[in-house]
Amino acid sequence: MRVILYIINKEFRQIFRNKGMLPIIFILPLLQLVILSNAATYEINNISFGYVDNDHTHTSRALIDKFRASTFFDVSQVFPHPKESDLAMLQGEVDVVLTIPEHFERDLWKDKNIDLGVTINAIDGAAAGVENVYITQIIKTFNKNLSVDMVQLSNNTVRPVLIEGIPLFWYNKTLNYKTFMVPGILVLLVTMITLFLSGMNIVREKEIGTLEQINVTPIKKHHFIIGKLFPFWVIGMGLLTIGLVLAKLIFATPMLGSLALMYFYTSIYILVILGMGLFISNFTDTQQQAMFIAWFFVVIFILMSGLFTPIESMPKWAQFLTEFNPIKYFVEIMRMVMLKGSGLTDILPQLVKTTLYAVIMNAMAVWSYKKIS
């Protein structure tokens, strides 16, 4: 026990002795949390919008005003002819062009079908899909209101029956995308810092030659490993604490569930990441190699964690592979506990899988660590 405490004390002194490492561990991740939580969003605003009005009537102008009133569109250009709008689209000056046909108002009053031309720059397919939803909603709302006005003008005694759905949004009442992203970004930062530090720690000992000296001492393997990794476990828990405080103070992220449950799961999850870092360091000789290999796995885990894209939208084979992704379980649990207030029974499947992952990963790391007797 004294040996473990001595190694832990040595590691903490070594970490805090390096003044250049402290900002990387504590300050940069928090800046990343603030920046990424604001930048990582699927909401699309300030869409450059142009239109070709071939009708020039009160109704066509009313439709354009609907787009002007929207917070998503920036109605910036008017084109006299479709050729000019096509050229502007080609040059990237507009993202969406609405073409209103001739006799638009007259055909509406005659109850004829009307085709509105909508051209969307679809180089970014995801953005184009969202823009199409925005446009469709505005046109549908305009069409519904116009139909009501036309019926009332034609027959004052007739009142059309409107069925209006009132949505009730659970867990994110304001539909704030930061509420969804902050728990996931926090998972990302805790994972990256603990993985990189633990992966490069043993390798650094190799590079400076102290690992060989330690290997010939009577220190037992498990004492050495616990002493080397425990400080990074503490750092990971500290990062989680600071991140939760910032999430509450800056983003007003709800925390409906038990903080004790969140910390309990995180303590097990960090063991998984530390085991991965040690396993990587056992097969690398330089810190650059350890960093590259760790980054390779982190990128795959992040992209397949459901942090940025829903797992349900992935192919079946990719959904199967996500079952072996520890970040996926941490993201799910952080969102479940913080936003839904889930309890132990709700997160039990993820907890069992993560615990099993921690046992296997650390067993492989300890087994692959070579100590000279």
Side-chain angles (χ1 to χ4, degrees):
M1 187 66 183
R2 291 182 179 178
V3 175
I4 296 177
L5 293 177
Y6 173 79
I7 297 175
I8 292 174
N9 187 37
K10 166 194 169 285
E11 288 300 316
F12 274 119
R13 288 201 310 267
Q14 184 172 320
I15 291 172
F16 289 101
R17 187 185 300 122
N18 189 345
K19 302 302 181 183
M21 184 64 70
L22 295 179
I24 297 176
I25 297 176
F26 294 105
I27 298 179
L28 290 183
L30 303 181
L31 291 177
Q32 289 174 334
L33 174 64
V34 175
I35 295 172
L36 291 178
S37 298
N38 285 282
T41 174
Y42 289 130
E43 294 180 356
I44 300 177
N45 299 306
N46 301 318
I47 303 169
S48 180
F49 184 92
Y51 63 92
V52 180
D53 187 356
N54 295 314
D55 195 43
H56 301 288
T57 58
H58 172 74
T59 304
S60 65
R61 289 191 294 271
L63 177 58
I64 299 300
D65 289 339
K66 288 292 184 181
F67 285 94
R68 283 199 176 95
S70 171
T71 58
F72 301 112
F73 293 96
D74 178 18
V75 182
S76 56
Q77 300 198 48
V78 183
F79 302 103
H81 193 273
K83 289 184 178 180
E84 284 80 0
S85 64
D86 293 343
L87 180 60
M89 178 75 73
L90 181 63
Q91 295 176 346
E93 297 176 0
V94 291
D95 299 315
V96 176
V97 175
L98 175 69
T99 303
I100 301 176
E102 293 181 346
H103 312 304
F104 173 67
E105 184 178 74
R106 186 191 68 183
D107 291 343
L108 277 175
W109 283 96
K110 291 183 177 180
D111 200 20
K112 292 183 178 180
N113 291 329
I114 301 172
D115 294 327
L116 289 172
V118 179
T119 306
I120 303 175
N121 183 350
I123 290 180
D124 186 345
V130 175
E131 292 166 2
N132 182 52
V133 172
Y134 293 162
I135 295 168
T136 302
Q137 289 177 343
I138 291 175
I139 294 176
K140 282 185 176 180
T141 302
F142 175 79
N143 187 41
K144 182 181 72 173
N145 295 336
L146 186 64
S147 299
V148 173
D149 293 341
M150 292 170 64
V151 170
Q152 290 179 348
L153 288 174
S154 61
N155 188 350
N156 290 328
T157 62
V158 178
R159 292 292 185 268
V161 178
L162 296 179
I163 300 176
E164 183 178 0
I166 302 177
L168 180 61
F169 300 107
W170 285 22
Y171 314 125
N172 190 357
K173 295 180 180 179
T174 60
L175 301 182
N176 188 348
Y177 200 76
K178 296 170 188 171
T179 301
F180 177 72
M181 287 303 301
V182 168
I185 298 297
L186 185 56
V187 169
L188 172 61
L189 297 180
V190 171
T191 301
M192 292 179 64
I193 295 299
T194 52
L195 178 59
F196 291 156
L197 290 179
S198 62
M200 293 187 295
N201 183 259
I202 301 294
V203 179
R204 184 175 180 276
E205 300 280 1
K206 291 182 183 179
E207 289 183 335
I208 63 180
T210 55
L211 186 62
E212 295 180 358
Q213 300 174 15
I214 295 174
N215 280 337
V216 297
T217 63
I219 298 176
K220 294 183 179 180
K221 182 193 294 188
H222 64 277
H223 289 166
F224 174 71
I225 292 175
I226 293 174
K228 294 290 286 184
L229 296 184
F230 181 77
F232 302 118
W233 183 90
V234 175
I235 289 175
M237 299 296 286
L239 284 174
L240 175 68
T241 302
I242 300 173
L244 289 175
V245 172
L246 290 181
K248 190 65 176 179
L249 295 179
I250 298 178
F251 302 105
T253 305
M255 298 181 186
L256 305 180
S258 169
L259 287 177
L261 180 61
M262 198 182 308
Y263 276 96
F264 174 66
Y265 177 83
T266 304
S267 65
I268 299 176
Y269 171 80
I270 293 178
L271 294 178
V272 178
I273 302 304
L274 294 179
M276 292 179 61
L278 177 60
F279 186 75
I280 291 172
S281 67
N282 291 339
F283 295 95
T284 52
D285 298 320
T286 64
Q287 295 184 67
Q288 288 83 0
Q289 290 178 352
M291 177 68 78
F292 288 146
I293 295 175
W295 181 250
F296 171 79
F297 285 104
V298 163
V299 170
I300 294 176
F301 284 157
I302 292 173
L303 294 178
M304 301 186 68
S305 66
L307 176 59
F308 297 109
T309 55
I311 294 177
E312 294 78 9
S313 301
M314 299 179 185
K316 293 296 183 182
W317 61 267
Q319 295 184 35
F320 173 76
L321 291 180
T322 60
E323 296 297 320
F324 303 95
N325 184 357
I327 299 182
K328 165 196 171 183
Y329 301 126
F330 197 12
V331 171
E332 288 180 350
I333 286 182
M334 287 292 286
R335 287 171 175 167
M336 289 171 64
V337 175
M338 292 180 66
L339 306 183
K340 293 184 178 181
S342 300
L344 179 61
T345 54
D346 301 311
I347 70 168
L348 193 59
Q350 293 91 335
L351 179 61
V352 171
K353 292 178 183 178
T354 304
T355 304
L356 183 62
Y357 212 129
V359 172
I360 295 175
M361 203 69 248
N362 283 275
M364 292 175 59
V366 173
W367 169 79
S368 61
Y369 176 74
K370 305 298 180 182
K371 184 181 185 302
I372 302 174
S373 302

